[in-house]
Amino acid sequence: MAEKVGVYVCDCGSNIAATVDVEHVAQWAGGLPEVAITREYKFLCSSLGQAMIAEDIKTEGLTRIVVAACSPHLHEKTFRRACERAGLNPYLLQMANIREHVSWVTKDRVAATSKVKALVAAAVARVQYHQPLEPMAVAVNPHTLVVGGGIAGIQAALELGDAGYPVYLVEREPSIGGHMAQYDKTFPTLDCAACILTPKMSDVGQHDKIQLLTYSELEEVSGSIGNFKVRIRKKARYVDDATCNGCGLCIEKCPRKVVDDGFEAGMGYRKSIYTPFPQAVPKIPVIDRGSCIWFERGRCRACEKLCPTKAINFDQKDEILEVEVGNIILATGWDMFDCRRMPQYGYGRLANVFTSLEFERMCNASGPTGGRVVLRDGVTEPKSVCIVHCVGSRDKHYNSYCSGICCMLSLKLGHLVLEKTAAKVYACYIDMRPNKKDYEEFYWRLLEEGMLFVRGKVAEVTDVARTPQEEDQLIVQVEDTLLGKQRRIPVDMVVLMGAMEPRRDARETGLKAGISCSMAGWFIERHPKLDPIATMTEGVFIAGACQGPKDIPDSVGQGAAAAARIEGMISRGTVMIEPVVATVQEERCSGCRICNSLCPFNAIDFLETEKVSKINPVLCKGCGTCVAGCPAEAISGAHFSRDQINAEIAGLLCDADGRESGAELAFAPAQAE
Amino acid sequence: MSDKGTLAIYWAASCGGCEIGILALNEKILDVAAAFDIVFCPCIMDTKARDVEHMPDGHIDVCLFNGGIRTSEQEYMARLLRQKSKVLVAFGSCAHEGCIPGLANVTNRQSIFETVYLDSPSTDNPGRTLPLPEVQHNGFHLALPVFYDTVRTLGQTVKVDYYLPGCPPEADRVWDAVVAILEGTLPAPGSVIGAQTTVCDECTRTRSEKKIKAFKRTWQVWPEESQCLLEQGLICCGPATRAGCQSRCPTVNSPCIGCYGPNAGVEDQGARLITALASVIDSNDAEEVERIVREGVPDPVGTFYRFSLAHSLLRRAALVPDEERHELPLPRAAQ
Ligand SMILES: Cc1cc2nc3c(=O)[nH]c(=O)nc-3n(C[C@H](O)[C@H](O)[C@H](O)COP(=O)(O)OP(=O)(O)OC[C@H]3O[C@@H](n4cnc5c(N)ncnc54)[C@H](O)[C@@H]3O)c2cc1C
């Protein structure tokens, strides 16, 4: 194997050069086997640096390139392109990460330089086993599936639809709108939520490019980027959506009233046939089988008798739709922390402890109290309200993360109380974090409006009085850390800022689409900074609060960003996918089927007639799980072959400072005959 | 002497099963005898090491060497036969990868001696006599081969031209090898003469996706006759074991124990088995996984490395260095 390897060591300004003796490394690397040329350069990623590599490839006839610089996440593409421009297959490049893995994690120049040598030796040993690879082109179906019709999903669907690309928008509830539809006002500008949301909702409902599938669930996803096949369960509404004109007569006449735990957050009632709220899109109601008198006792059918368009159909069944799409956006949002999990705050036990969602419904003009802020008795206006921050968040017993929106939410709710009542408003906070555009200003506004801020995490909310003044009150026990003393604040009403939590079924939903969740349960993005909307599964994107706690502007931004990414692919028509995939060598495969259940991307099929397993290269992400799992070593991973990995380990273990190392013997790959 | 080829068959640390394996050629043994003069085979004829020492180098055309290298005498014979043979074949699992004797690599000479000569319940050794390589007795100097701490494979001792796996190698595979030798269609030197796939390829049981909740031992279940044994919880080494036996054990409802060694190109059969089985355990709960393994695999080395320990990446349990081997000088070439 006679290769001509070029080794390039980057200073990264002083990022690397300050800690690593780059000149020495470059000179030393010249003595490694097969190395023809070595250079050290200030910024290899600059156009001059790239041009230098390309020039060397042409003039020196280099056949392999090693770049010792930053993380391949950042610049592997850059240097691959440089190779390509010089006519060298881009996969004949190997990067050694000497910045994130070395210079940024130590100040010890000697140790750093020695580690860099080992990493360079590993890369030089490995790159000699690299094979030229060609990316695969896949045609992109212009349809997109959006799962979840909250503000993030709505935005994504509208962006795509407006760009002229067809969308299926799947929403599990009878109407789109998500959580935002429940609110009265939205921070920080206090626009009415309905005023800004409902126009978007009706745009979706009327859009000729958007096929809206409400009261529907994602069943199964197969295929891969460009060509997914999706099965969707359209749950039986018992109302024919083609004939219903949304007049609402059925709702009016339905004799059964039940507590609405969904949209009204348990604060109000709905009928057994219902739309969640008046501005629902679509306007078509659903019959809740669980509470409907006909389904319960086999009598009634009032809705059917009175429906002017004969749209009620008690025999309707769930329907399974199959659609084909090129890309998928998950925008399934969040769930509220169950405040009962913190019994010390009394929710569910003490009547006048409310959750933020309940309070939102109470403030809403079209909500259960018509927008009046009252105690549970439905009439008494509170004289004092305490808002408790960080309920189930910033607490390692529940969720260690900051839920992000609650400080602003507290300010919004405080403002609404001050606006609607004469009550005193306290907020007990750990830290105030109104950290975005116009948020700090909103905080100042509330300070001026007279909201009272107590810095401390609430220990307890109790109705056990210690003094006559505390009788018949809720007492908020909190250590005021600014005053340095314990306080007992008697109030009429307490509002808990429950944390935004991942959807309870996020893991299952993620699994269907082939993406995973973080420890906390949020969908994992491809890169936390540089690619927050893509996922490790090509063609599956995430937007909104399903990726982590988020306010409305961020959710909208992500919805639009995901749509833009997809529009780019559709307009180009094809996507190139990485050829770094695993393949089964059929003659070595005995069809034992060990690998069949291992693939996180469902890329492995078992061919019954041939009795061998086969990997779909379009689905495969090259993760290597099956390569490791195959007991016969019938599966090999391109760009991560055993030869390459063994050579890399041997290189890594070769003692860069000259002593002899036994490791080479044990790991050196068998020489080709 | 005729113009037939010459054949030697030798045994080192082995059980004698490989000779039976050769006899299992049945009447084809006559074809072997027609093609070769057997010049050395202590199992069936009165030939001595001295006879081999007197042969010119390369006198033996093919030597089938079975057994691993456990003593200095075996090492001597391995070196001697290497020197005298044109083609040296590691015949059977012991020579190929250490086999059952190689499992003793989890311990060392001293504790083997203690078990065998002192501690075993049936041993009566009041003088606590242990074998010594050399003793002076009544003016005589008596010597025994040195017993090593470690069983080595033939390939770890001398250069081997071909490997024939199996415990013992199947008669049909032995015949394939004989034909290949006679017809000159042998693969590249250093390779295993055998299939490129695993036992499952020859197994007729139906297989589906595997999800294993508990591993069971053979006495605990009466396996269903047509379903993959591994799916029934029995640790079947078939998926990681080279094909060649026509799936003998699974065919009679007994899981494969791995005697044909790893598939072509695989470095460590046990590691392959472990990763494969680990990946089909049907639980993501660390404690449950631990329990499944603890209850179902009481003897991991004996289960996963039953035949291949000496040959594996592990090779043996760690040793204090100076307990190691006594080298013997190479025999001088005969004039
Ligand atoms: C009480 C409260 C008040 C808030 N007030 C404000 C505010 O004033 N200003 C602000 O900027 N932010 C506010 N926020 C934050 C805001 O609610 C979120 O940013 C926003 O809801 C995120 O939108 P989303 O579309 O990602 O998720 P969601 O609103 O949760 O929408 C997700 C949608 O997906 C659907 N869905 C879920 N799973 C599936 C599935 N498997 N299949 C099909 N459909 C599914 C759901 O039914 C839902 O319609 C507030 C948060 C809280 C807790």
Side-chain angles (χ1 to χ4, degrees):
Chain A
M1 194 190 307
E3 300 297 347
K4 285 183 99 176
V5 184
V7 177
Y8 298 84
V9 185
C10 185
D11 299 357
C12 195
S14 63
N15 271 305
I16 295 171
T19 328
V20 175
D21 188 345
V22 275
E23 271 168 42
H24 169 67
V25 171
Q27 182 222 332
W28 167 88
L32 290 169
E34 319 292 335
V35 172
I37 189 169
T38 67
R39 287 184 201 278
E40 167 252 327
Y41 195 73
K42 201 146 194 67
F43 285 110
L44 280 172
C45 61
S46 67
S47 47
L48 287 176
Q50 295 179 50
M52 175 178 80
I53 298 176
E55 189 57 31
D56 283 351
I57 293 172
K58 286 191 217 144
T59 56
E60 305 286 328
L62 298 180
T63 60
R64 296 287 189 274
I65 300 296
V66 168
V67 175
C70 54
S71 162
H73 271 305
L74 292 176
H75 275 307
E76 191 168 53
K77 281 213 174 97
T78 312
F79 295 116
R80 278 186 179 168
R81 276 196 297 264
C83 292
E84 208 167 14
R85 280 198 298 274
L88 187 67
N89 184 288
Y91 293 87
L92 300 178
L93 162 93
Q94 173 69 7
M95 283 190 79
N97 181 351
I98 63 168
R99 193 179 71 172
E100 284 83 343
H101 286 182
V102 186
S103 68
W104 279 359
V105 292
T106 183
K107 292 198 172 80
D108 181 338
R109 198 172 164 83
V110 175
T113 304
S114 154
K115 181 171 172 189
V116 165
K117 284 176 171 176
L119 291 173
V120 169
V124 169
R126 181 192 216 276
V127 80
Q128 303 186 35
Y129 289 90
H130 279 202
Q131 300 284 329
L133 299 171
E134 296 298 335
M136 289 171 278
V138 174
V140 180
N141 182 320
H143 292 73
T144 301
L145 172 74
V146 178
V147 184
I151 187 60
I154 288 174
Q155 184 69 28
L158 285 175
E159 298 274 354
L160 283 159
D162 290 349
Y165 301 126
V167 176
Y168 299 101
L169 176 56
V170 173
E171 165 60 53
R172 76 157 43 131
E173 299 296 329
S175 168
I176 55 170
H179 281 100
M180 187 177 167
Q182 295 174 281
Y183 312 150
D184 180 38
K185 298 273 163 54
T186 52
F187 61 73
T189 45
L190 298 174
D191 338 46
C192 130
C195 309
I196 57 176
L197 178 62
T198 47
K200 281 188 183 282
M201 288 169 56
S202 51
D203 278 359
V204 168
Q206 288 157 9
H207 209 293
D208 62 341
K209 290 287 180 190
I210 302 177
Q211 186 172 345
L212 184 53
L213 299 163
T214 52
Y215 212 45
S216 299
E217 296 269 353
L218 186 63
E219 282 278 304
E220 194 190 323
V221 178
S222 58
S224 54
I225 184 167
N227 304 284
F228 289 106
K229 279 199 176 60
V230 183
R231 283 159 58 86
I232 298 163
R233 175 178 299 273
K234 225 174 148 231
K235 292 177 280 191
R237 266 186 133 94
Y238 307 107
V239 178
D240 180 33
D241 45 11
T243 25
C244 172
N245 65 4
C247 70
L249 197 61
C250 53
I251 304 177
E252 207 180 304
K253 299 297 177 190
C254 174
R256 177 55 73 81
K257 211 177 184 185
V258 290
V259 172
D260 182 358
D261 282 322
F263 186 79
E264 292 293 2
M267 294 288 285
Y269 298 87
R270 63 161 166 79
K271 297 293 187 62
S272 274
I273 183 165
Y274 71 104
T275 58
F277 52 102
Q279 307 91 324
V281 172
K283 259 182 151 26
I284 303 153
V286 299
I287 294 178
D288 162 24
R289 217 188 142 112
S291 66
C292 167
I293 301 178
W294 165 252
F295 283 111
E296 199 175 286
R297 302 189 209 146
R299 300 192 259 110
C300 187
R301 289 187 173 240
C303 50
E304 188 186 37
K305 284 176 215 140
L306 293 164
C307 175
T309 60
K310 301 278 163 259
I312 308 289
N313 174 6
F314 285 102
D315 298 327
Q316 216 176 51
K317 298 267 173 314
D318 286 7
E319 240 180 283
I320 300 286
L321 303 180
E322 289 204 349
V323 301
E324 294 186 2
V325 297
N327 290 279
I328 297 173
I329 300 175
L330 296 185
T332 50
W334 55 279
D335 270 325
M336 167 74 81
F337 173 76
D338 179 0
C339 295
R340 286 179 197 84
R341 289 175 62 201
M342 296 186 81
Q344 64 269 41
Y345 291 167
Y347 177 69
R349 182 164 48 85
L350 304 174
N352 289 315
V353 177
F354 293 83
T355 68
S356 55
L357 265 184
E358 286 175 333
F359 199 77
E360 285 282 0
R361 290 311 300 149
M362 187 150 51
C363 292
N364 196 303
S366 59
T369 63
R372 282 182 316 120
V373 173
V374 287
L375 300 182
R376 282 279 176 200
D377 64 9
V379 288
T380 322
E381 208 169 80
K383 294 197 190 58
S384 51
V385 177
C386 181
I387 300 175
V388 178
H389 285 221
C390 304
V391 178
S393 59
R394 302 191 68 194
D395 182 334
K396 65 174 194 247
H397 301 295
Y398 306 97
N399 296 298
S400 49
Y401 57 81
C402 168
S403 181
I405 53 106
C406 316
C407 286
M408 284 301 288
L409 175 56
S410 160
L411 295 172
K412 174 176 79 172
L413 299 183
H415 169 83
L416 291 175
V417 178
L418 292 169
E419 187 183 70
K420 290 169 188 273
T421 71
K424 243 183 171 174
V425 184
Y426 297 90
C428 298
Y429 67 97
I430 305 179
D431 297 293
M432 280 309 285
R433 295 179 165 177
N435 60 353
K436 288 171 58 180
K437 186 176 173 188
D438 294 338
Y439 284 12
E440 181 70 15
E441 291 84 339
F442 192 63
Y443 178 28
W444 280 93
R445 175 170 169 186
L446 265 294
L447 283 167
E448 277 158 23
E449 286 180 9
M451 191 164 164
L452 302 165
F453 292 90
V454 179
R455 184 171 181 274
K457 184 175 159 90
V458 171
E460 189 188 18
V461 177
T462 175
D463 58 353
V464 181
R466 290 195 194 155
T467 61
Q469 296 93 302
E470 289 183 0
E471 264 343 307
D472 298 326
Q473 297 261 301
L474 293 171
I475 311 359
V476 178
Q477 171 88 45
V478 57
E479 181 190 350
D480 188 326
T481 56
L482 294 181
L483 295 179
K485 62 181 190 197
Q486 286 290 338
R487 288 178 68 174
R488 289 172 64 83
I489 307 172
V491 290
D492 294 331
M493 180 190 246
V494 167
V495 186
L496 304 179
M497 300 292 101
M500 288 172 90
E501 282 193 334
R503 283 272 175 206
R504 313 258 183 268
D505 62 348
R507 278 181 207 282
E508 288 97 275
T509 310
L511 211 61
K512 285 179 196 159
I515 66 169
S516 35
C517 294
S518 67
M519 288 296 276
W522 306 107
F523 290 143
I524 300 181
E525 60 285 323
R526 181 171 272 256
H527 191 285
K529 285 163 274 182
L530 300 178
D531 208 348
I533 50 155
T535 66
M536 294 312 274
T537 299
E538 305 271 0
V540 177
F541 297 84
I542 49 180
C546 61
Q547 183 248 4
K550 229 169 245 80
D551 56 15
I552 294 166
D554 283 2
S555 303
V556 170
Q558 285 202 335
R565 187 72 73 78
I566 292 170
E567 283 160 23
M569 278 189 268
I570 302 175
S571 70
R572 187 181 279 188
T574 53
V575 279
M576 300 307 277
I577 55 173
E578 276 273 293
V580 178
V581 294
T583 34
V584 177
Q585 281 170 267
E586 274 186 37
E587 63 288 356
R588 293 171 66 94
C589 174
S590 65
C592 74
R593 306 197 62 175
I594 294 270
C595 61
N596 288 188
S597 53
L598 297 186
C599 179
F601 309 99
N602 292 326
I604 306 181
D605 287 322
F606 182 68
L607 309 181
E608 285 290 350
T609 39
E610 293 89 340
K611 296 258 180 289
V612 291
S613 294
K614 200 174 166 71
I615 295 169
N616 178 345
V618 180
L619 283 179
C620 176
K621 293 285 155 304
C623 73
T625 309
C626 61
V627 181
C630 175
E633 282 196 17
I635 310 181
S636 52
H639 216 54
F640 288 90
S641 71
R642 280 186 184 78
D643 282 354
Q644 289 164 3
I645 292 169
N646 286 345
E648 192 169 11
I649 295 171
L652 203 58
L653 295 180
C654 98
D655 192 322
D657 295 323
R659 274 162 293 159
E660 218 166 294
S661 158
E664 260 166 304
L665 286 175
F667 286 102
Q671 290 296 310
E673 298 290 338
Chain B
M1 229 187 254
S2 64
D3 54 359
K4 292 201 278 186
T6 49
L7 180 72
I9 301 170
Y10 189 65
W11 51 8
S14 65
C15 68
C18 281
E19 277 74 12
I20 313 252
I22 295 173
L23 287 180
L25 284 172
N26 295 338
E27 62 276 16
K28 284 194 184 125
I29 195 81
L30 299 174
D31 297 329
V32 175
F36 293 102
D37 276 326
I38 300 180
V39 294
F40 180 61
C41 181
C43 175
I44 53 169
M45 49 202 268
D46 186 13
T47 43
K48 301 282 189 247
R50 210 179 312 117
D51 304 330
V52 182
E53 284 166 2
H54 284 99
M55 292 174 188
D57 287 358
H59 174 73
I60 301 166
D61 288 319
V62 178
C63 173
L64 305 180
F65 189 108
N66 70 69
I69 308 303
R70 150 64 83 208
T71 67
S72 56
E73 180 262 350
Q74 288 157 354
E75 180 172 357
Y76 175 79
M77 288 305 291
R79 290 173 186 271
L80 180 66
L81 285 163
R82 168 70 278 180
Q83 193 171 323
K84 305 297 178 189
S85 308
K86 291 200 188 82
V87 173
L88 178 66
V89 180
F91 187 95
S93 175
C94 288
H96 175 207
E97 26 170 31
C99 196
I100 308 290
L103 275 179
N105 285 359
V106 297
T107 164
N108 56 27
R109 168 174 49 213
Q110 189 182 344
S111 45
I112 293 172
F113 279 6
E114 279 166 10
T115 305
V116 173
Y117 295 107
L118 303 176
D119 298 341
S120 80
S122 59
T123 300
D124 183 24
N125 183 359
R128 299 185 70 77
T129 312
L130 292 180
L132 289 174
E134 288 172 48
V135 282
Q136 296 293 334
H137 190 70
N138 294 342
F140 291 99
H141 176 244
L142 301 178
L144 274 179
V146 178
F147 187 97
Y148 295 151
D149 278 304
T150 305
V151 172
R152 285 188 171 72
T153 68
L154 186 62
Q156 289 164 349
T157 311
V158 295
K159 185 169 162 285
V160 168
D161 299 308
Y162 296 102
Y163 298 86
L164 258 185
C167 180
E170 287 294 315
D172 288 347
R173 301 291 82 72
V174 176
W175 182 245
D176 292 346
V178 171
V179 170
I181 292 169
L182 290 177
E183 294 181 352
T185 54
L186 283 166
S191 37
V192 175
I193 305 177
Q196 297 269 322
T197 177
T198 63
V199 172
C200 301
D201 211 36
E202 300 177 337
C203 178
T204 53
R205 288 170 181 267
T206 45
R207 292 183 286 273
S208 43
E209 278 192 27
K210 293 173 179 37
K211 294 223 174 300
I212 298 175
K213 268 264 174 259
F215 293 117
K216 306 202 191 74
R217 309 185 70 192
T218 36
W219 54 267
Q220 290 173 307
V221 274
W222 195 276
E224 199 277 318
E225 302 254 338
S226 61
Q227 192 200 1
C228 168
L229 290 166
L230 189 53
E231 285 159 27
Q232 301 183 53
L234 289 163
I235 297 189
C236 179
C237 303
T241 302
R242 192 189 288 262
C245 62
Q246 305 303 324
S247 177
R248 243 175 217 276
C249 298
T251 305
V252 296
N253 239 3
S254 186
C256 168
I257 54 176
C259 80
Y260 251 74
N263 192 17
V266 176
E267 206 156 358
D268 191 306
Q269 182 186 20
R272 287 280 110 207
L273 263 171
I274 292 167
T275 43
L277 294 196
S279 46
V280 293
I281 292 178
D282 187 16
S283 170
N284 286 322
D285 175 61
E287 271 171 36
E288 191 185 10
V289 171
E290 220 245 85
R291 184 184 53 73
I292 293 173
V293 174
R294 183 168 17 87
E295 289 173 2
V297 195
D299 174 14
V301 174
T303 308
F304 302 121
Y305 289 97
R306 187 180 307 208
F307 295 90
S308 66
L309 181 64
H311 177 69
S312 68
L313 287 174
L314 303 175
R315 302 219 173 154
R316 62 154 304 119
L319 260 191
V320 199
D322 69 338
E323 285 177 312
E324 266 298 65
R325 60 207 270 145
H326 303 250
E327 288 275 347
L328 277 189
L330 257 184
R332 256 176 293 117
Q335 268 74 53

